[in-house]
Amino acid sequence: LILYSNNIKFKVANFSADNAKEFELKWESIRAAICSVFELIKAFGYTESTLTSKNALIPLIYYIYHRNIYTDFSTRKCYEEDRKIIRQWVNIVLVKKLFGGQSDNILTTIRSVFTDDVTKNPIIANVDLFPKDRIVNKLKGTTKDMTMDDDYIDNLLLTQKDSGLAFSILSLLYPNLDYKNGNFHKDHLHPESLFKGDEYLKQTNISQGKYEFYKDPNNWNSILNLQCLDANENMSKQDKNLKEWVLHEANKQSCTVDKFCEEHVIPNILDFADFEMFITERRKMLRAKLKSLF
């Protein structure tokens, strides 16, 4: 219905002998486009648990089907820039929960970016790349506005490691990893083991008045204390404390600590004793980066 019908509501009245015949005649191409988009999403690192809305893929199916570019879309070099734009768009709409609730209206609105009359002109002519910015502009001022204010972003940054949304947020923050081969890990910057009891806090001379902050999962188990790491980097990190790991990796990569921290979106405040300041500064860094993306 999205591909060929003006009215996309899933009801019997929208299916006729004529359009059923059209669907049947074109089914192999339709199926190929659907499979191509799911291959693409797998290449982005998404799994059943992290793909929090399959409806988010429908505009992509529409786009590559009507442009007739679904053959090897997830691998061909000529589509590399298109894939980069689409990946960011998918991450954003999942983080924004754009397709929550009834999806008919939002799907119809997004489709109108491609064409005002699906039966006459399935897709706008001369579209070279997925029109992410055009969709964003179309939705501005609606209940599905894709922009975000500081409060919304600050709440996102409290997302816990095992949440279905955590991958989408981290994928936005770390866009250059090998997601295609699943070669990435969600990693605690300050290791999880340091926050599980009072014993280590006592050993490291953390004042008792700060225990509540250190043991709060909103600080140690949220995006504020998480990163996406290449699997090899994560294996080398394991349970090393943050400062030891950063100094080791910066030296191994022959770069300054400041440069390494910048590339990993980490403030150069690495001592465990300064965890409160670390969280405060990282919140500012992540907020600024997400605002620029949104």
Side-chain angles (χ1 to χ4, degrees):
L1 291 173
I2 289 280
L3 295 177
Y4 285 109
S5 174
N6 277 326
N7 191 330
I8 72 167
K9 288 188 181 298
F10 191 74
K11 55 185 181 181
V12 172
N14 286 332
F15 291 91
S16 66
D18 287 341
N19 67 16
K21 185 64 176 175
E22 186 170 32
F23 300 158
E24 184 178 4
L25 288 172
K26 296 176 179 175
W27 174 244
E28 289 305 317
S29 296
I30 293 170
R31 182 186 185 280
I34 294 169
C35 290
S36 180
V37 167
F38 274 89
E39 285 299 316
L40 179 67
I41 287 300
K42 283 170 61 181
F44 292 164
Y46 279 97
T47 64
E48 182 70 23
S49 62
T50 56
L51 180 60
T52 51
S53 171
K54 292 187 178 71
N55 281 339
L57 308 189
I58 293 176
L60 307 182
I61 295 167
Y62 186 94
Y63 171 71
I64 71 168
Y65 175 79
H66 282 299
R67 282 201 64 204
N68 194 27
I69 57 174
Y70 45 83
T71 303
D72 298 325
F73 183 78
S74 65
T75 56
R76 290 179 66 181
K77 181 73 174 175
C78 61
Y79 301 134
E80 186 173 9
E81 182 63 21
D82 220 358
R83 290 194 297 269
K84 181 179 177 182
I85 293 168
I86 287 171
R87 181 176 168 277
Q88 189 182 82
W89 186 82
V90 170
N91 289 339
I92 289 173
V93 298
L94 292 178
V95 167
K96 196 72 167 99
K97 301 179 183 177
L98 202 68
F99 293 90
Q102 294 293 322
S103 294
D104 291 346
N105 289 339
I106 184 64
L107 286 169
T108 300
T109 300
I110 291 174
R111 188 178 66 174
S112 73
V113 171
F114 300 112
T115 176
D116 289 327
D117 187 347
V118 66
T119 59
K120 293 180 182 177
N121 180 25
I123 193 163
I124 294 171
N126 302 317
V127 172
D128 296 320
L129 296 169
F130 186 77
K132 173 178 71 74
D133 292 339
R134 210 179 299 167
I135 294 171
V136 171
N137 289 330
K138 183 80 172 180
L139 297 175
K140 274 184 180 174
T142 73
T143 56
K144 298 294 185 177
D145 196 318
M146 290 174 68
T147 57
M148 297 191 186
D149 59 21
D150 286 352
D151 287 342
Y152 194 100
I153 290 175
D154 284 346
N155 283 327
L156 278 183
L157 296 178
L158 300 181
T159 301
Q160 298 292 290
K161 181 183 179 183
D162 293 330
S163 164
L165 281 182
F167 173 75
S168 295
I169 299 168
L170 290 169
S171 185
L172 275 170
L173 295 168
Y174 297 94
N176 298 319
L177 297 183
D178 182 15
Y179 295 106
K180 182 176 182 179
N181 295 310
N183 199 26
F184 64 90
H185 293 167
K186 289 186 289 185
D187 172 71
H188 289 94
L189 290 159
H190 287 284
E192 178 180 5
S193 58
L194 305 186
F195 300 94
K196 288 304 181 71
D198 294 353
E199 197 58 39
Y200 187 80
L201 299 179
K202 290 175 184 175
Q203 291 174 13
T204 49
N205 297 316
I206 306 300
S207 67
Q208 197 161 1
K210 294 183 177 182
Y211 282 16
E212 185 177 352
F213 184 92
Y214 275 74
K215 293 163 69 174
D216 185 347
N218 281 334
N219 297 321
W220 68 264
N221 195 46
S222 70
I223 301 295
L224 294 169
N225 189 44
L226 293 175
Q227 63 180 336
C228 255
L229 272 189
D230 172 271
N232 292 327
E233 273 191 309
N234 195 44
M235 291 300 291
S236 74
K237 183 174 185 290
Q238 295 184 336
D239 261 357
K240 286 191 180 80
N241 71 55
L242 180 61
K243 186 173 184 178
E244 178 187 357
W245 174 71
V246 169
L247 293 175
H248 173 78
E249 289 296 312
N251 181 61
K252 187 169 77 173
Q253 298 175 27
S254 301
C255 69
T256 65
V257 170
D258 279 339
K259 180 67 174 173
F260 183 87
C261 288
E262 180 184 344
E263 289 177 352
H264 286 74
V265 204
I266 305 170
N268 190 358
I269 305 169
L270 305 174
D271 287 312
F272 188 62
D274 296 325
F275 182 62
E276 282 185 285
M277 193 185 308
F278 170 86
I279 291 295
T280 298
E281 291 305 310
R282 191 156 196 255
R283 179 182 282 108
K284 293 177 185 176
M285 292 176 71
L286 298 183
R287 183 195 292 155
K289 183 158 187 177
L290 288 176
K291 281 183 78 171
S292 72
L293 292 171
F294 286 113

